[in-house]
Amino acid sequence: MTIMKNALGYTPGVLLESGLTLNDHRNAIQERTAKTGFYNGHETLEFKDKDPIGYERIFSKVRAGLVNSREVAKKIAASPIVEQEGELCFTLYNPAGDCVATSTGIIIHVGTMGAAIKYMIQNDWESNPGISDGDMFTNNDCQVGNVHPCDIATIVPIFYDGFLRGWVGGMTHVIDTGAVGPGSMSNGQIQRFGDGIQISCRKTGINDTPLRDYLHESQRNIRTTKYWILDEKTRIAGCHMIRKMLTEVIEEEGVEAVEKFMYEVIEDGRRGLVKRIKAMCVPGTVKTVAFVDVPYSHPDVHVPSTFAKMDSIMHAPCEITVKANGTWRLDFEGCSRWGWHTYNTNPTAFTSGIWVMMTQSLVPTERINDGPRYATEFRCPAGTWTNPKDRRTAHADAWHFLVSSWSSLWRGISRTYFARGYLEEVNAGNSNPCNWLQGGGVNQDGEVHAVNSFETAACGTGACAMKDGLNHAAAIWNPEGDMGDIEIWELAEPLLYMGRRIKTNTGGYGKYRGGLGYETLRMVWNSADWTMFFMGNGYMNSDWGLMGGYPSATGYRFEAHNTGLKERIAEGKSLPLGQDRDPSLCEYEKHLGPDAIVKRDKQCITTEDMFDNGDLYLNYLRGGPGFGDPLDREIASIQEDLNQNFLMEEFAIKIYGAVFTKDDEGVYTIDAAKTKARQAEIRKERIGRGVPVREWMETERAKIIDKDASLAVQQMFASSFYLSAKFLAEFKEFWDLPADWELPEEELGTPMYGARHNIDIGDLPDVHPVIMVEE
Amino acid sequence: MSTYTKKQVSDLVKGTLDWDTVHLMLSMPKDEARYKLYMEVLQENVSYDDKIILAVGPHLNIVESSKDQEIIIKCDCGHEFGHYSKNWKLNALIYVRDNVEKMKEVYPELMAPDTNWQVYREYYCPSCGIMHDVEAPTPWYPVMHDIQPDLKTFFEWLDMPAPAKI
Ligand SMILES: [Zn+2]
């Protein structure tokens, strides 16, 4: 080790004024935190208490600098994902890699880039490859803590007076990483080795200059090089602006004040969460759960290995404990195993991402830093999809599972807001934002291209306890959601819009309904060679409603080939335009040629398939879940839903008991008295058809004893039972099953490759993974 | 910190509060008096005398029974679902949408889950037929015990006297 250091000319312990190595410095902080319960041992906030104005002044300068740098840097990018959707963020860290402040944007990267810095610290990057003023490091490795490989981080150390004073990280979501499937959040690949370019905290720049070997190598490994390079410049420019900003702040405020601030502010953030939990939540436990379908046995899912060819279900139970001291614990005991698909995650992504959602309710401030993490205990059991402990796992669409599990946490914690009267904060959950329209090939400009439509950044949001969810408004991972301009997407993709309309009947019913999704019908046009695939949920819905509200509508797939549209356009015949209002009526098919091949089904995950010019693809962006018994919905609101085309007549009748007339102009008028009477009947019908829960439990128990359930359901339970004796024991106790009842995966006959033998990253020589959760 | 009137809290519960005030509620630090006002509003909305101490749903509350001071879960209609530490759902009526026909009653074809993967479980009050909850789990899934409040700590947080039998 020493030899290596000497050979490269780096001496450990010279980066900090204290003479400590970065690793010793970080360990000392961890120890002081563990010992006192306060970040870095800050039992009092000395600086803030003594000079509150000075403290706030530094915060304001830093935060404004971060936000401003993001806005300026964004303009460099050409990728619509960055430029239209704002999928980038910049974050400032202290020398230990803990976040001090962050810009607006995708807040999950507070944790992911911090994990990369911590990885460099813990694995002695200080000695080799060395850390110097003017260096740049790049990371997108999910085993280091990234969410998915398409989030590329540039990390720049900040020096002042010869010492390391902090780090800045910049992240953009790139359009393509050269994975087996094009489009950045793709599937088709089932292992890391097909998941695209992997850069593990590599030194990619010296003296503020990107290294040529990295630029060449990275471009060879991805499809969309133009966007890649402009994204690279975006991140570097932002990081350098922020480095300059911090240098100026140090010059104005003094190095001592700024250093103090960079630690104290994290303890301040920790206290902020504790205060907020005590102000808004109810202590005790909340249990919640989410599921996602992985329907891989379908013929339209092509994967390279037989062991991935199976239907499975992601299972994400969570027990949230709000403790008396105002901290909380999130325990994911019982989660199902990771799998041979691209939806796995790692604990850093899992836990960092929770803040994306919590900043929309529990900590809605601009003071996002690593503090709240220090007031939170996470438990992600090893071997589950939240913490695979296997370095073969693919992560390209980690969001697919992540957002579903987080949404259930939002629903869960909302129960505590509701309990004590903070109705304005309640959210029934959010849609699993999908579909992700992705694909690639040779585009309308004759270039090798890949696409990932971020229209899904504007799905329907969950209902609140005092108002409806927002229609086509946001995504749980991007609170600043935006569907993007049609004109920009048509420039970025060889896909014309045949329609973009609100999706009727997609918001979950309730006293307050979920926000509606929308749908866009795209026709392939002017491409030379084109592929696309679907990426969403269909057989299952990852959201529930809350307190009597229904889940939103589930997904379905529509695609059409050999449509004859070119001929129909030439002949001036009718075209499929606008809405696919009731999918069972097959409206689009009425405007296609006689030889059209249509796929209209629940298979919402497919792999790359060829699309010719004139072929159709329906991008259906989901709605959000509802809140409260639908029979409590205001009559005027039901009428409005009908008149706005938000709700089909059939379900106004069945769900809301609406009795109405429709005039010649198609305007609906509800008869309030008749509706009230019908609703009273519906309540009686419910009592008539309902059975006492304990009675029903006997019939369900019999099904369990008979092992009467689909293979996907049984495999989900078997995988959770194997990983969690506790979950199995609770299951058996709840259903009062015989002591010898068991469900080993072996008896199902489903592929078990990878189920019993793990290959952990920590087994690699000289690799010390950063672990920040209980396992 | 902002403060709100009982009328404003009542309007919040009714869903008629003006957006400016809602926005204030969202953006300002939380008002400590909310709990007290909320309980008063909820109490006025029910015909029973038992004291409401926490809300579980729009028509479901944790109350201190006026009979014996036990802490129980109670529907607005007066139906009692048992001790607050136990899962009220076990004393409800259930209707499970576990086939295509039953799903078609709530969503159009292709817009409802495949019941081989997921079912909807509706929990009704046996007395008034209110739907207190809808679960959307896989078949076989145990009934969720959604919330188990630590009332003792809660009243310490509020700095208010706790009911005797918590
Ligand atoms: Zn009732």
Side-chain angles (χ1 to χ4, degrees):
Chain A
M1 199 170 155
T2 338
I3 298 165
M4 192 63 113
K5 275 184 293 194
N6 291 342
L8 292 177
Y10 294 107
T11 315
V14 300
L15 294 179
L16 301 176
E17 260 180 308
S18 65
L20 291 174
T21 63
L22 291 181
N23 198 32
D24 287 344
H25 174 67
R26 177 168 177 257
N27 288 338
I29 290 173
Q30 297 291 101
E31 270 166 40
R32 283 193 286 273
T33 307
K35 206 170 128 195
T36 61
F38 304 98
Y39 176 73
N40 195 32
H42 290 295
E43 290 184 37
T44 54
L45 301 177
E46 267 173 44
F47 180 27
K48 189 182 180 186
D49 292 345
K50 211 171 107 190
D51 181 11
I53 291 169
Y55 179 93
E56 293 301 332
R57 200 167 53 228
I58 296 178
F59 178 81
S60 302
K61 286 178 181 175
V62 165
R63 164 77 178 174
L66 287 161
V67 173
N68 180 47
S69 302
R70 175 179 180 267
E71 292 308 312
V72 173
K74 190 161 95 172
K75 301 295 173 206
I76 297 169
S79 149
I81 297 179
V82 175
E83 194 266 327
Q84 286 273 302
E85 303 298 322
E87 287 280 318
L88 77 165
C89 90
F90 291 93
T91 304
L92 180 69
Y93 299 88
N94 66 24
D98 284 326
C99 168
V100 170
T102 190
S103 69
T104 45
I106 310 298
I107 296 158
I108 188 170
H109 299 301
V110 163
T112 62
M113 293 190 284
I117 297 168
K118 285 160 191 149
Y119 185 88
M120 293 193 273
I121 292 173
Q122 193 160 308
N123 287 274
D124 196 21
W125 251 235
E126 197 170 343
S127 300
N128 176 0
I131 297 165
S132 307
D133 199 0
D135 283 353
M136 300 172 201
F137 298 88
T138 303
N139 185 66
N140 78 331
D141 188 341
C142 298
Q143 306 288 351
V144 170
N146 195 17
V147 184
H148 47 172
C150 59
D151 287 335
I152 313 287
T154 299
I155 295 166
V156 170
I158 304 176
F159 284 77
Y160 185 84
D161 262 356
F163 294 107
L164 181 76
R165 307 297 178 177
W167 305 79
V168 53
M171 170 77 68
T172 63
H173 178 127
V174 301
I175 261 178
D176 184 77
T177 60
V180 168
S184 84
M185 289 167 64
S186 59
N187 51 44
Q189 67 272 22
I190 57 166
Q191 302 194 33
R192 173 187 172 94
F193 314 111
D195 220 16
I197 188 169
Q198 306 278 345
I199 310 154
S200 308
C201 297
R202 174 165 162 186
K203 189 187 278 194
T204 52
I206 293 173
N207 285 333
D208 290 349
T209 311
L211 295 173
R212 186 169 284 142
D213 60 344
Y214 166 68
L215 293 177
H216 281 224
E217 184 183 289
S218 59
Q219 291 182 80
R220 300 286 163 81
N221 280 293
I222 53 121
R223 294 179 176 88
T224 50
T225 54
K226 178 177 72 187
Y227 292 124
W228 175 270
I229 289 299
L230 288 170
D231 268 23
E232 184 88 33
K233 289 181 190 221
T234 300
R235 295 190 303 271
I236 293 171
C239 285
H240 286 173
M241 285 170 70
I242 290 158
R243 183 180 61 184
K244 183 162 174 278
M245 173 273 291
L246 190 74
T247 309
E248 285 166 6
V249 174
I250 290 174
E251 272 164 5
E252 290 157 11
E253 305 288 337
V255 76
E256 198 191 335
V258 173
E259 287 222 313
K260 259 198 161 147
F261 171 82
M262 286 174 79
Y263 293 91
E264 248 187 58
V265 75
I266 297 173
E267 169 57 18
D268 203 7
R270 191 195 68 80
R271 290 176 193 201
L273 176 64
V274 167
K275 207 172 149 192
R276 186 85 173 164
I277 285 177
K278 282 192 170 179
M280 280 175 68
C281 301
V282 172
T285 58
V286 174
K287 285 184 182 167
T288 180
V289 65
F291 307 92
V292 178
D293 52 323
V294 185
Y296 270 32
S297 68
H298 192 278
D300 286 353
V301 177
H302 298 269
V303 286
S305 311
T306 52
F307 50 81
K309 200 67 193 155
M310 61 185 281
D311 291 342
S312 60
I313 297 174
M314 178 283 269
H315 176 215
C318 180
E319 182 171 308
I320 304 169
T321 307
V322 176
K323 298 182 174 189
N325 66 3
T327 65
W328 62 334
R329 177 181 169 85
L330 298 140
D331 187 345
F332 295 90
E333 177 84 36
C335 283
S336 51
R337 190 173 66 243
W338 60 271
W340 298 111
H341 47 62
T342 53
Y343 325 126
N344 301 294
T345 189
N346 64 69
T348 301
F350 191 80
T351 58
S352 311
I354 284 169
W355 303 113
V356 179
M357 173 255 301
M358 286 303 162
T359 50
Q360 296 170 60
S361 69
L362 201 51
V363 272
T365 76
E366 53 179 17
R367 300 194 177 223
I368 295 303
N369 61 34
D370 256 321
R373 186 167 58 76
Y374 284 96
T376 309
E377 289 168 39
F378 287 106
R379 187 163 168 277
C380 298
T384 64
W385 68 269
T386 67
N387 189 4
K389 289 275 179 195
D390 195 304
R391 64 186 183 85
R392 296 169 295 180
T393 52
H395 296 248
D397 194 7
W399 286 106
H400 190 45
F401 284 2
L402 285 174
V403 293
S404 302
S405 62
W406 296 334
S407 175
S408 80
L409 303 183
W410 204 343
R411 186 177 76 233
I413 202 73
S414 285
R415 291 185 186 278
T416 78
Y417 307 153
F418 183 85
R420 57 187 288 189
Y422 298 113
L423 272 53
E424 71 276 16
E425 299 288 350
V426 171
N427 182 3
N430 259 36
S431 59
N432 174 344
C434 51
N435 174 54
W436 293 93
L437 179 166
Q438 293 172 86
V442 177
N443 69 4
Q444 66 272 40
D445 301 318
E447 291 172 351
V448 173
H449 194 47
V451 301
N452 182 0
S453 169
F454 265 65
E455 284 196 306
T456 189
C459 286
T461 65
C464 181
M466 38 65 70
K467 68 175 190 63
D468 292 343
L470 300 171
N471 297 334
H472 44 77
I476 189 167
W477 38 265
N478 187 346
E480 296 168 87
D482 186 334
M483 61 179 66
D485 296 333
I486 284 178
E487 293 76 9
I488 300 290
W489 292 127
E490 284 187 339
L491 282 176
E493 300 157 347
L495 305 169
L496 297 183
Y497 277 83
M498 303 296 279
R500 188 191 237 191
R501 293 281 296 271
I502 198 157
K503 184 85 178 144
T504 306
N505 231 84
T506 49
Y509 318 109
K511 177 180 182 182
Y512 302 106
R513 59 155 175 75
L516 283 91
Y518 70 110
E519 59 190 340
T520 66
L521 183 65
R522 313 292 298 273
M523 181 174 69
V524 183
W525 201 249
N526 256 341
S527 77
D529 246 337
W530 199 247
T531 67
M532 282 191 283
F533 53 94
F534 287 81
M535 189 50 251
N537 52 4
Y539 297 96
M540 299 184 88
N541 195 325
S542 56
D543 283 287
W544 300 18
L546 183 63
M547 299 176 184
Y550 277 99
S552 55
T554 57
Y556 69 92
R557 156 179 77 149
F558 171 86
E559 62 177 280
H561 304 263
N562 201 26
T563 56
L565 283 176
K566 270 186 273 187
E567 294 74 23
R568 289 184 73 89
I569 292 168
E571 292 162 14
K573 288 187 173 162
S574 68
L575 302 173
L577 297 168
Q579 260 204 310
D580 193 40
R581 191 169 185 270
D582 180 344
S584 64
L585 300 180
C586 303
E587 182 59 30
Y588 291 155
E589 283 87 328
K590 293 169 190 161
H591 311 279
L592 301 179
D595 302 323
I597 299 161
V598 173
K599 295 183 178 184
R600 185 185 268 284
D601 57 25
K602 301 290 287 174
Q603 185 64 29
C604 294
I605 294 180
T606 61
T607 48
E608 215 183 352
D609 202 359
M610 291 176 289
F611 278 71
D612 281 334
N613 289 328
D615 287 359
L616 294 173
Y617 182 115
L618 180 70
N619 195 21
Y620 158 17
L621 298 315
R622 315 291 200 252
F627 175 91
D629 187 340
L631 297 184
D632 282 347
R633 187 162 180 76
E634 289 287 329
I635 300 284
S637 301
I638 305 168
Q639 185 170 295
E640 177 77 357
D641 285 347
L642 280 168
N643 285 318
Q644 292 285 347
N645 190 26
F646 293 167
L647 178 67
M648 294 179 192
E649 280 183 19
E650 179 186 352
F651 298 98
I653 296 166
K654 287 177 172 172
I655 300 290
Y656 294 108
V659 180
F660 50 81
T661 54
K662 188 179 175 184
D663 70 15
D664 296 344
E665 320 245 278
V667 176
Y668 293 92
T669 308
I670 293 191
D671 183 320
K674 284 182 183 163
T675 298
K676 290 280 172 206
R678 176 64 198 130
Q679 290 177 338
E681 280 172 27
I682 291 178
R683 285 195 190 87
K684 284 197 188 116
E685 287 164 14
R686 287 173 176 172
I687 295 170
R689 68 173 179 248
V691 293
V693 167
R694 289 174 206 276
E695 220 171 88
W696 164 78
M697 280 170 65
E698 286 306 312
T699 58
E700 192 73 0
R701 179 176 181 275
K703 285 183 190 166
I704 296 168
I705 299 224
D706 292 344
K707 308 243 166 113
D708 174 8
S710 68
L711 208 51
V713 167
Q714 294 200 50
Q715 195 274 341
M716 177 200 88
F717 278 110
S719 114
S720 286
F721 291 157
Y722 178 77
L723 291 168
S724 172
K726 184 169 177 248
F727 180 69
L728 173 61
E730 284 172 1
F731 182 86
K732 287 174 76 170
E733 191 195 336
F734 181 82
W735 294 111
D736 192 22
L737 297 175
D740 62 350
W741 187 90
E742 55 173 9
L743 183 67
E745 215 171 326
E746 286 80 356
E747 101 181 15
L748 301 177
T750 45
M752 286 184 61
Y753 182 67
R756 299 291 181 262
H757 305 283
N758 272 22
I759 303 175
D760 186 17
I761 186 178
D763 298 338
L764 291 171
D766 192 38
V767 169
H768 308 283
V770 178
I771 295 166
M772 291 188 286
V773 300
E774 214 180 292
E775 299 185 328
Chain B
M1 187 183 297
S2 320
T3 53
Y4 305 101
T5 63
K6 187 169 161 190
K7 166 89 170 54
Q8 284 171 320
V9 174
S10 172
D11 288 349
L12 178 75
V13 172
K14 275 191 244 162
T16 56
L17 187 59
D18 64 284
W19 178 247
D20 285 347
T21 310
V22 174
H23 191 259
L24 206 61
M25 285 178 167
L26 284 164
S27 56
M28 296 299 285
K30 292 303 174 196
D31 43 315
E32 281 171 17
R34 182 79 64 93
Y35 171 76
K36 193 174 156 283
L37 296 175
Y38 183 49
M39 290 301 125
E40 285 173 22
V41 168
L42 294 183
Q43 199 76 51
E44 284 168 15
N45 289 347
V46 297
S47 50
Y48 55 71
D49 295 332
D50 318 64
K51 189 181 174 201
I52 300 174
I53 56 176
L54 219 51
V56 179
H59 297 285
L60 202 60
N61 296 309
I62 296 179
V63 305
E64 183 181 32
S65 167
S66 54
K67 285 199 300 266
D68 51 11
Q69 282 68 56
E70 284 299 333
I71 312 295
I72 58 168
I73 296 187
K74 193 160 182 154
C75 181
D76 282 1
C77 74
H79 187 91
E80 294 181 357
F81 283 90
H83 195 258
Y84 85 101
S85 63
K86 301 279 188 285
N87 193 352
W88 64 266
K89 287 181 191 163
L90 300 184
N91 297 318
L93 295 180
I94 188 171
Y95 181 70
V96 184
R97 298 190 185 274
D98 54 3
N99 64 36
V100 176
E101 289 311 311
K102 289 177 184 171
M103 279 293 182
K104 272 190 187 166
E105 296 297 307
V106 289
Y107 276 107
E109 208 179 330
L110 289 178
M111 289 168 81
D114 181 324
T115 52
N116 287 310
W117 298 71
Q118 183 172 37
V119 296
Y120 288 170
R121 296 177 184 163
E122 301 175 2
Y123 294 91
Y124 309 138
C125 171
S127 300
C128 70
I130 275 281
M131 183 157 67
H132 285 305
D133 204 50
V134 181
E135 292 183 339
T138 63
W140 293 15
Y141 213 80
V143 175
M144 294 298 290
H145 193 173
D146 299 312
I147 183 167
Q148 292 162 272
D150 171 358
L151 292 179
K152 187 171 165 291
T153 302
F154 181 58
F155 282 96
E156 279 168 19
W157 282 8
L158 293 174
D159 200 15
M160 286 169 75
K165 293 197 178 175
I166 57 170

